[in-house]
Amino acid sequence: MAVDYAALKKGGWMRQKQKGKFALRVHVVGGTLTSEQLDGIYRVAAKYGKGYVHLTARQSLEIPWMDEKDIEDIKKDLAEYGVYPSVCGPRVRTTTACQGSATCPSGCIDTQELAKKIDERYFARELPGKFKFGITGCQNNCLKTEENDIGIKGGLRVKWLEDKCISCGVCVKACRENALSMKDGRIELDQDKCTYCGRCAKSCPADAWETHPGYLVSWGGLFGNHIHRGNAIVPFFEGEERLFRLCDATIDFFAENGQPGDRLQFAIERYGQEKFNRMIQDVFQEEE
């Protein structure tokens, strides 16, 4: 019976150069696995492979040396531990994310929760080419969001609370963009210089800053045979509903305008960057 290698690759089974052997790519969301899942992966790697795994560049995990005759048994064994194959090829890939505000002092948004929502909404959707989401919690940009088809960077809109301020100047010193200054005991914010990093609020000993989490999004990133830094088309904004509206519009655009083997940026260039920008800006300005 002939092996359908295309179907196996679609389901996360990648052929090794050794005949009959596969590396199984595991579905990992936001770079997070539970101890139970790790236990299951350990058992499968020990039982069916060579007792080791490989961590990919995009926070996924591969178990090499899987034999094609064991594929169904491997899937069954992994499923008992809540572990499932990922996908390859022309479809939405696993969402990458840093740890975000749940544990990181610099984090401005809950990246892990957002990664789960994006994964539930888009993972494995068939498209003309691969499509990657990357989420980072702050301006430190640990996930290098501009390398992704859609990159999402967390930020904080801040508002100074004069009645709580003790005029210590810590926030002014903490600001790396020189967006803050103090004059006669009052803080002045130059919004044009603000990068929404939130360092002012996080450093304040008197809680004299009100914060509102939001997003800085980029489109069309590539980092491979062709390199392109994703473009920021709209300004910082708040509201998860608006974020998903923009993501929906982008996915639909790629589905309609992409060609086999494309990446989003290639489709944008054929369509026209300015025309695409206007489309995204129109979606951005839609009423909530």
Side-chain angles (χ1 to χ4, degrees), residues 1-11 13 15 22 68 71:
M1 182 175 169
V3 178
D4 189 341
Y5 291 112
L8 286 173
K9 183 177 180 181
K10 176 180 177 180
W13 298 84
R15 294 172 70 179
F22 293 80
E68 63 184 42
I71 285 175

Side-chain angles (χ1 to χ4, degrees), residues 145-217:
T145 55
E146 290 84 3
E147 294 178 2
N148 294 269
D149 296 281
I150 291 183
I152 302 167
K153 191 181 299 179
L156 291 175
R157 178 174 63 83
V158 296
K159 179 182 178 182
W160 179 55
L161 303 177
E162 183 175 6
D163 60 326
K164 290 188 176 182
C165 183
I166 58 175
S167 301
C168 65
V170 169
C171 58
V172 177
K173 294 177 182 177
C175 181
R176 294 174 174 175
E177 307 302 323
N178 295 318
L180 296 180
S181 60
M182 181 181 289
K183 186 175 182 180
D184 298 327
R186 290 178 54 82
I187 298 295
E188 295 183 357
L189 169 63
D190 185 340
Q191 195 63 61
D192 291 336
K193 291 182 179 180
C194 181
T195 59
Y196 305 96
C197 68
R199 286 174 60 85
C200 53
K202 294 175 186 295
S203 67
C204 179
D207 294 327
W209 290 92
E210 185 177 287
T211 61
H212 301 271
Y215 313 100
L216 294 152
V217 181

Side-chain angles (χ1 to χ4, degrees), residues 81-153:
Y81 293 85
V83 180
Y84 302 94
S86 189
V87 297
C88 297
R91 47 197 58 88
V92 178
R93 303 297 187 83
T94 297
T95 301
T96 60
C98 68
Q99 294 194 67
S101 61
T103 59
C104 178
S106 298
C108 298
I109 60 172
D110 189 338
T111 55
Q112 292 293 307
E113 187 62 28
L114 180 58
K116 291 176 184 176
K117 291 178 180 179
I118 288 176
D119 187 78
E120 291 170 359
R121 194 177 185 109
Y122 305 111
F123 176 68
R125 175 167 171 175
E126 299 287 331
L127 290 170
K130 69 177 73 170
F131 195 99
K132 298 177 179 179
F133 285 93
I135 311 170
T136 200
C138 69
Q139 286 289 344
N140 289 337
N141 205 11
C142 296
L143 260 291
K144 302 175 179 63
T145 55
E146 290 84 3
E147 294 178 2
N148 294 269
D149 296 281
I150 291 183
I152 302 167
K153 191 181 299 179

Side-chain angles (χ1 to χ4, degrees), residues 203-241:
S203 67
C204 179
D207 294 327
W209 290 92
E210 185 177 287
T211 61
H212 301 271
Y215 313 100
L216 294 152
V217 181
S218 60
W219 282 264
L222 290 167
F223 201 85
N225 291 323
H226 300 87
I227 297 176
H228 180 266
R229 180 185 174 93
N231 296 312
I233 300 173
V234 299
F236 172 88
F237 65 92
E238 300 162 37
E240 201 172 85
E241 182 178 332

